[in-house]
Amino acid sequence: MNYTNPMELAMYDYDFVVLGSGPAGEKAATLAADFGKRVAIIESRAQPGGVCVHTGTIPSKTLRESSLYLSGIRSRGLYGVNYLVKHDISVQDFMYRRHQVVQREIDLIYQRCARSRIDLLPGWGEFIDPHTIIVKRPGGEEIVTSEHFLISTGSRPWHPDFLPFDDPSVYDSDTVLDMKDIPRSMTIVGAGVIGCEYSTIFAALGIRVVLMDERPQLLPFLDREIAGKLHEGMMKLGIQLLQGEAIEKVNRINDHELVIYLKSGQTFNTESLLFAAGRQGNTRNIGLENLGLKPNKRGQLIVNEHYQTDIPTIYAAGDVIGFPSLASASMEQGRTAVSHAFDLDAKDGITSLLPFGIYTIPEVSAVGESEESCQEKGIPYEVGRAGFSENTRGQIIGDLDGMTKLIFNSDDRKLLGVHVIGDRASELIHIGQTVLHFGGTIDYFIEAVFNYPTLSESYKTAAYDGLAKLKRRH
């Protein structure tokens, strides 16, 4: 490992300075510090953590668990369709656990930075040149120099001009966390991952939800069968899905209602509106013009395979570079940038086998090929399925709609893709991800012994199902 020699300190204040303390920034800073580098994080928020901790991943996933608990949905398969933990759920009930979890995550970041001797510099960072940044804060400014920088400033919700975001009942994916009351109805614009997650969270609480999107397909990157099962689950929650529709304008008609005008001519009333159709990179006012760096029209920076910008001393990672905008991928991007910057034998790059988790109700997770991608690529394939209704653990926990789906090469049985919908899908996916990484076949699932009863055993059932189909072919 390449540790810094204290006798060889450079002319700069730091070896590595990070803008933003979200997943990419914090993990990059920690890795650099662990390899003996002098590290600082510049953070404009009052507390570290970035969008992930404060308004994104962690709050929304915690709200999902609160919704599941308070609504009793997880228990309805056990105790009946009318099972409820609490009637008349309040915002305080709904947000209580979120506040606890977020504060705990903030405390953990402070602890990790202290343990790694990372300096946390409050303020807004603005580049002067490739090795110098000015940190602005109320009451003063500070000039900081560094050998390398990482821009991990995250993203913010996009605000189209035709929506009145100054209306207290019109939210984006950040401000929805500040709602004062639980509305009776909500229209969610944008059926991407964020929109789908929030639509099921709120519908589970008994809110009448309309989810609309200009695209004709729900989450088009998903395997179509899995997307169809998710659609069915959303319908069970009472969500009304409007596809191929776009908003023209929104007006307030009284103290409790908004009227939404669609480009198709249709109108309807709603008590609240959540806009979740796109985000922009946070690259304004950080001095990019002083570096000659120009973000794209969505405010995102362009990087190479090492997450290096056109300025060799400056890297970028996380939401600020766009797709895939996953906290898990952002962490690895930051670590890859550090490894390249200091020529560390730590991480060469990121695997192409990125799993993704969609924390809807029901939960969805996938990695590798779908049926549609196999068809497009001309890959011969077969499918094995295992419904949670035929799994003992599925029966015990009351998840009778979940499913594990394996896609494998019909010539050599090599695993190509895994798709899971249902309870703990984002945990279960990692079993298949590991087999994919090592180039394994579905024979692994047949030969392996799984704990019983577990949802993991659905891999074995799906493998046997696929093998039986393959045998029938011949």
Side-chain angles (χ1 to χ4, degrees):
M1 295 188 292
N2 185 11
Y3 287 96
T4 299
N5 185 338
M7 301 301 293
E8 297 177 353
L9 294 179
M11 66 184 77
Y12 307 111
D13 299 323
Y14 295 97
D15 301 307
F16 192 63
V17 170
V18 177
L19 276 75
S21 58
E26 191 221 333
K27 300 308 178 187
T30 302
L31 180 62
D34 288 347
F35 275 81
K37 307 302 177 183
R38 298 166 302 154
V39 181
I41 297 176
I42 300 170
E43 177 52 62
S44 61
R45 289 177 182 266
Q47 294 176 309
V51 168
C52 177
V53 169
H54 292 279
T55 59
T57 304
I58 291 172
S60 64
K61 280 48 176 179
T62 307
L63 291 181
R64 178 185 184 272
E65 295 304 311
S66 297
S67 177
L68 284 168
Y69 172 72
L70 292 168
S71 66
I73 281 182
R74 262 209 186 110
S75 302
R76 290 176 191 176
L78 304 175
Y79 304 111
V81 295
N82 295 319
Y83 180 82
L84 284 174
V85 170
K86 191 177 191 301
H87 292 275
D88 300 322
I89 297 168
S90 68
V91 165
Q92 289 73 28
D93 296 328
F94 186 42
M95 297 291 180
Y96 175 75
R97 181 62 180 161
R98 164 228 164 184
H99 292 304
Q100 285 190 322
V101 173
V102 166
Q103 187 56 55
R104 178 59 179 156
E105 285 296 317
I106 292 169
D107 293 342
L108 287 172
I109 292 172
Y110 278 125
Q111 291 170 22
R112 289 193 290 264
C113 287
R115 186 171 58 243
S116 298
R117 298 183 178 180
I118 296 168
D119 291 340
L120 283 171
L121 307 178
W124 185 269
E126 186 174 327
F127 283 100
I128 297 174
D129 63 47
H131 290 286
T132 311
I133 196 165
I134 183 169
V135 183
K136 301 179 179 181
R137 59 179 71 100
E141 298 178 347
E142 178 182 2
I143 298 293
V144 173
T145 62
S146 179
E147 182 182 359
H148 297 284
F149 288 92
L150 174 71
I151 300 172
S152 56
T153 46
S155 63
R156 66 184 185 280
W158 173 53
H159 281 191
D161 295 336
F162 59 83
L163 288 180
F165 286 97
D166 56 343
D167 189 294
S169 297
V170 177
Y171 306 103
D172 61 32
S173 54
D174 287 357
T175 60
V176 70
L177 298 173
D178 299 322
M179 64 167 51
K180 305 303 181 188
D181 299 291
I182 299 291
R184 290 169 296 181
S185 62
M186 175 177 284
T187 297
I188 298 178
V189 182
V193 171
I194 296 173
C196 286
E197 288 179 349
Y198 271 119
S199 70
T200 60
I201 289 170
F202 287 118
L205 293 175
I207 297 170
R208 298 190 307 275
V209 174
V210 175
L211 176 62
M212 58 178 296
D213 198 287
E214 294 185 26
R215 295 169 294 185
Q217 283 189 329
L218 181 70
L219 300 175
F221 59 88
L222 278 182
D223 180 274
R224 286 297 86 201
E225 180 182 14
I226 298 298
K229 289 185 71 67
L230 175 60
H231 190 178
E232 291 172 8
M234 295 168 84
M235 295 303 101
K236 285 185 178 181
L237 288 173
I239 296 170
Q240 180 184 355
L241 188 60
L242 296 180
Q243 295 171 290
E245 289 280 9
I247 286 184
E248 185 173 277
K249 63 179 180 177
V250 175
N251 290 335
R252 175 162 290 285
I253 54 174
N254 56 49
D255 290 344
H256 302 290
E257 286 184 303
L258 303 166
V259 59
I260 294 179
Y261 298 86
L262 302 181
K263 291 182 179 179
S264 64
Q266 183 180 352
T267 65
F268 61 92
N269 295 356
T270 187
E271 192 170 307
S272 60
L273 184 144
L274 168 59
F275 185 79
R279 297 181 69 87
Q280 292 181 305
N282 283 327
T283 49
R284 294 186 301 187
N285 304 319
I286 63 171
L288 293 183
E289 64 280 2
N290 297 327
L291 304 174
L293 290 178
K294 187 175 182 180
N296 65 20
K297 63 181 181 180
R298 300 196 65 160
Q300 298 160 349
L301 291 169
I302 308 302
V303 294
N304 63 18
E305 69 274 18
H306 307 298
Y307 300 96
Q308 191 175 33
T309 68
D310 289 339
I311 307 297
T313 59
I314 298 177
Y315 294 75
D319 285 7
V320 77
I321 67 171
F323 182 84
S325 295
L326 299 170
S328 55
S330 298
M331 295 175 188
E332 302 312 311
Q333 291 168 358
R335 290 171 174 138
T336 301
V338 169
S339 291
H340 183 263
F342 298 107
D343 194 24
L344 306 179
D345 185 19
K347 192 171 186 65
D348 294 329
I350 300 178
T351 176
S352 60
L353 283 171
L354 286 177
F356 59 83
I358 304 174
Y359 295 85
T360 43
I361 303 171
E363 192 170 310
V364 177
S365 195
V367 63
E369 304 287 353
S370 64
E371 285 198 66
E372 291 70 31
S373 67
C374 285
Q375 292 164 8
E376 290 171 5
K377 297 174 183 179
I379 301 172
Y381 74 93
E382 187 51 87
V383 175
R385 299 176 180 84
F388 288 3
S389 61
E390 55 186 302
N391 175 278
T392 305
R393 188 62 179 271
Q395 291 283 346
I396 291 171
I397 64 176
D399 185 354
L400 306 183
D401 298 319
M403 181 178 74
T404 296
K405 177 177 180 177
L406 305 180
I407 299 173
F408 61 97
N409 192 299
S410 55
D411 291 339
D412 57 12
R413 307 211 294 228
K414 185 176 179 179
L415 188 65
L416 299 172
V418 181
H419 306 263
V420 186
I421 182 168
D423 200 56
R424 301 292 182 261
S426 60
E427 300 281 356
L428 287 169
I429 201 68
H430 297 129
I431 299 171
Q433 180 189 10
T434 302
V435 176
L436 280 167
H437 177 78
F438 290 108
T441 68
I442 62 166
D443 297 278
Y444 166 76
F445 305 119
I446 291 171
E447 294 167 3
V449 176
F450 291 91
N451 282 328
Y452 177 86
T454 61
L455 293 175
S456 300
E457 195 196 13
S458 64
Y459 274 95
K460 183 182 288 288
T461 306
Y464 272 117
D465 179 65
L467 184 60
K469 292 175 182 173
L470 202 59
K471 295 293 185 185
R472 288 196 291 269
R473 282 192 183 188
H474 306 290

